[in-house]
Amino acid sequence: MSFAAERLIAFRFLRARREEGFISVIAGFSLIGITLGVGTLIVVMSVMNGFRVEMLAQMSSISGQLGVQSNGGALEPTPDFLKRLAAVPGVQSATPTAEGQLMAVAGDHVRGIVLRGMRPDDIRNRPPLASAIEGSPEDRERYRTLCKADDDKPIDWGTLKGFGDDFTVVIGRRLADLMNLKVGDRLQLVSPVSVATPLGVMPRSAAVKVAAIFCTGMYDYDSNFVYAPLQDAQHMLNLGPNVTGIEVFVSDKASTAETRRLLMQAVGTQGWVFDWFQANAGFFSAVVAQTNMIFLVLTMIVLVAAFNIVSSLVMLVRTKTADIAILRTMGASRATVMRIFLLDGLSIGGAGTILGVVLGLAFARNIEAIRQWLQRTFDIVLFDQTLYLLAELPSRIEWSEVAGIAIMALVFALLASIYPAARAARLDPVEGLRRE
């Protein structure tokens, strides 16, 4: 029997008669289950991929892909040392920074912050920090939209022109909200580093002026970081001419691993080189573990839906006993009968997989718009940026992953069809006709 004939019979079996309608209902539920399982897997994995990629991109655009720290002693960013680092193939820039934890006080508001000192030119050339303040019109619109005021009031973002002339600071949009600050306000910074005074040993403190407000779209940076001129941060942290690290940006065409190897040779014994994964190893390990666990749980949904095919095909075999017996008496082999019911199972699984892929891709491409609509309609919070550190729900579709999910669903459908198909193939034609 030709494949076309087998396919015709298989599709004919799926179109159940009125008295066999319950079989179609079970098959329909199997199809819906596979559709929802595959679609959910694609959406969730796209969101997890988008979350990971967006976090990497945001972190690297603010702090660089590589970093240099001392081996325990002081790290002095001499011009010769910085020039040697910048000359390494693949290095785009090397920026010295002084970073430490301080206490910020503004009126009745007290909050722990991270003070990061940078040279004025370096902060002006750092797009995520400067774009909302003095970037191009497109960049300003993009970054300001990420951190727009909850009450839609206009925000004075300030300017970076006077940054570095005095102990002025640039604070994040969310920190300005939390401490009720705006451009021009005064902020008291208190350092745990003590200083001797006529009244005894006192914490080092300084009254600073808010020169500008930045917005990166990452809640952690926008609510905790305060940027100050490098020399002022060194004074507050009692570092002298030294820094806590050097942020290294790698060009797009260069390999981060190869650049790190060459950078280690240039640094020598003066320090050690780390990448963004090492700096955030705990965070990204948790993301990978969470992604794997979610994938495993959602795969079980697809597996259960696929094996619903078993019950529908078993019932189909029982109702088609006479038809199977007639096919066998007409010369159809056991392999032919088995292929017919395998086609039935794959048809259900294939249709569910195709619908699931289409549904999943549609949701993944519009996940942020769907989230905003659901939040406005039902007045609920589906994506808390204070927990996930991003202002928008990210999504990144990996086509290889989509293909893997589709193949996995088809394999499950095939495995679920083997037992009913084998049972139909073993049916004795004489016994089948006698039962009828």
Side-chain angles (χ1 to χ4, degrees), residues 367-379 382:
I367 189 67
E368 176 61 19
I370 294 172
R371 178 185 76 92
Q372 295 287 357
W373 179 80
L374 290 174
Q375 290 188 161
R376 289 193 305 267
T377 304
F378 299 102
D379 194 23
L382 296 177

Side-chain angles (χ1 to χ4, degrees), residues 1 9 13 320-337 340 424-436:
M1 185 177 293
I9 296 173
F13 280 177
K320 298 297 182 181
T321 300
D323 298 315
I324 296 171
I326 293 173
L327 286 174
R328 291 297 310 279
T329 57
M330 293 176 62
S333 64
R334 294 179 182 271
T336 297
V337 175
I340 289 173
R426 291 196 303 267
L427 182 67
D428 182 24
V430 176
E431 183 67 18
L433 292 173
R434 186 182 66 80
R435 290 179 182 176
E436 288 297 316

Side-chain angles (χ1 to χ4, degrees), residues 310 313-314 317 338 342 414-426:
V310 175
L313 289 186
V314 166
V317 170
M338 188 168 186
L342 287 177
L414 177 63
L415 294 177
S417 307
I418 290 177
Y419 170 72
R423 183 173 177 177
R426 291 196 303 267

Side-chain angles (χ1 to χ4, degrees), residues 8 40 59 77 87 92 98 112 134 137 199 271 306 350 405 412 423 435:
L8 178 64
T40 304
M59 289 179 178
Q92 190 173 14
E134 296 181 346
L199 300 177
I405 293 173
F412 286 167
R423 183 173 177 177
R435 290 179 182 176

